Amino acid sequence: MRRTRMPGVLAALFIASAACVALGPSTARCAAQTPSPPGAQEYIIWPYDGAVITGGKLWVRMGLRNMGVCPKGVDIPNTGHHHLLIDTDLPPLDQEIPSDRQHLHFGAGETDARIELPPGKHTLQLLLGDHNHVPHVPPVYSKKITIIVK
């Protein structure tokens, strides 16, 4: 059997994947983050920044340019799925996106969603996640918008 030397990056990936097998995915960061292509852009189609919504129930329409949308768990290059951040800042961009009332996951590949918000001022922002709900490198996220619910 012939031995070959692994370049430094390849060796590091091998060690990381071995640690992932030994420790499990929840203990170690198991895979390199998924790359995003140049020019990828996520944006909120509706509501627009400054919109006043009556009643609290609204449709959020999500847009993505230079990438595709696919369900969670599907590992296809240059794709991901939407996460809507409500009244919060971006989470750590090298970890799985939380799933709670402020971080809504659209893992079935949805591009619009009906949400309900209480009266008041709210912020909305989109963050694209890969097949494992981890932001891409570089991360793809929308501008944060503000809406008012009456």
Side-chain angles (χ1 to χ4, degrees), residues 22-99:
L23 301 174
S26 62
T27 308
R29 201 162 136 222
C30 296
Q33 285 181 268
T34 306
S36 62
Q41 183 181 16
E42 186 157 38
Y43 54 97
I44 297 173
I45 299 169
W46 200 91
Y48 58 87
D49 193 21
V52 177
I53 309 296
T54 303
K57 291 182 182 179
L58 66 137
W59 282 95
V60 176
R61 303 208 190 281
M62 302 168 256
L64 183 62
R65 187 172 292 132
N66 294 330
M67 289 186 78
V69 175
C70 72
K72 67 179 179 180
V74 178
D75 187 6
I76 298 174
N78 300 326
T79 65
H81 62 278
H82 297 290
H83 298 81
L84 179 63
L85 311 180
I86 302 172
D87 298 329
T88 190
D89 293 324
L90 290 169
L93 298 175
D94 63 346
Q95 298 172 21
E96 185 175 331
I97 301 165
S99 181

Side-chain angles (χ1 to χ4, degrees), residues 112-134:
D112 60 10
R114 188 149 171 93
I115 65 169
E116 186 170 357
L117 298 171
K121 187 176 183 181
H122 298 281
T123 62
L124 303 175
Q125 187 171 28
L126 292 171
L127 174 60
L128 195 69
D130 69 7
H131 59 286
N132 289 321
H133 302 286
V134 177

